Amino acid sequence: MENRSVLFGFFEDCWKNGTVLTVEMRKAVEKGRITQAEYDEITAKERGKRTRIKNREGNGMQEMTREQLQEQLQIEIYKSISLQEELNQKNKERAEYKALYTFAEKKREELQEQLNAAHSANEGHSEPVPVTE
């Protein structure tokens, strides 16, 4: 038996029953959940069609078996994890930008203080005083 990614079976099943989109499959490759070869293998197969079964009242609700509920839960957990990872990445980038902004702001304040000191020292002199960095 070949070495497969841990989530290979999950994505293969989702593809077969039509509960995962191609874009989600690509994202799984980008995130390292499955390999490109596994993606190619899975997506080469026919994708299943999701069907909605109307109940007696005809309101579009579907009675689901325990297995179907567990499968839907797995899908939602995976989506939740993916969204959390994206949020964590955005927060990390935000923190980096904030640190860079703080550094630049402090540097600007230091240079402004040097400029003010130079102006104050220069009030009694006719020659300009160079600003040191």
Side-chain angles (χ1 to χ4, degrees):
M1 186 170 146
E2 293 180 43
N3 264 349
R4 300 273 191 198
S5 300
V6 175
L7 293 173
F8 174 82
F10 170 75
F11 283 104
E12 183 179 41
D13 289 343
C14 290
W15 185 259
K16 286 178 184 176
N17 65 30
T19 56
V20 67
L21 303 172
T22 306
V23 69
E24 293 170 316
M25 293 289 290
R26 283 194 219 113
K27 190 66 114 174
V29 173
E30 289 174 17
K31 299 278 186 180
R33 302 215 185 333
I34 58 174
T35 65
Q36 181 65 47
E38 290 169 337
Y39 168 88
D40 294 340
E41 180 181 338
I42 292 169
T43 56
K45 299 173 184 172
E46 185 176 347
R47 184 171 182 267
K49 304 269 189 246
R50 282 190 80 181
T51 57
R52 291 199 75 101
I53 301 170
K54 293 189 177 185
N55 63 11
R56 290 182 199 161
E57 290 79 31
N59 64 8
M61 296 297 290
Q62 179 180 359
E63 290 187 28
M64 301 175 86
T65 66
R66 180 181 176 151
E67 291 79 19
Q68 289 171 320
L69 287 171
Q70 287 175 334
E71 183 178 303
Q72 288 300 313
L73 178 61
Q74 282 182 318
I75 291 167
E76 296 306 319
I77 289 170
Y78 168 73
K79 288 179 180 179
S80 173
I81 290 169
S82 294
L83 288 171
Q84 185 63 51
E85 286 176 355
E86 288 180 34
L87 179 61
N88 291 344
Q89 181 63 31
K90 298 283 184 198
N91 285 337
K92 181 181 173 188
E93 290 170 3
R94 182 177 173 261
E96 290 170 357
Y97 286 128
K98 186 175 182 179
L100 184 60
Y101 173 81
T102 302
F103 172 78
E105 183 65 19
K106 285 182 182 180
K107 188 66 175 172
R108 188 196 63 76
E109 289 172 2
E110 288 173 12
L111 291 172
Q112 185 65 45
E113 287 173 12
Q114 288 179 2
L115 182 62
N116 291 342
H119 282 303
S120 295
N122 204 13
E123 285 179 359
H125 300 81
S126 60
E127 292 184 29
V129 177
V131 176
T132 59
E133 292 192 34

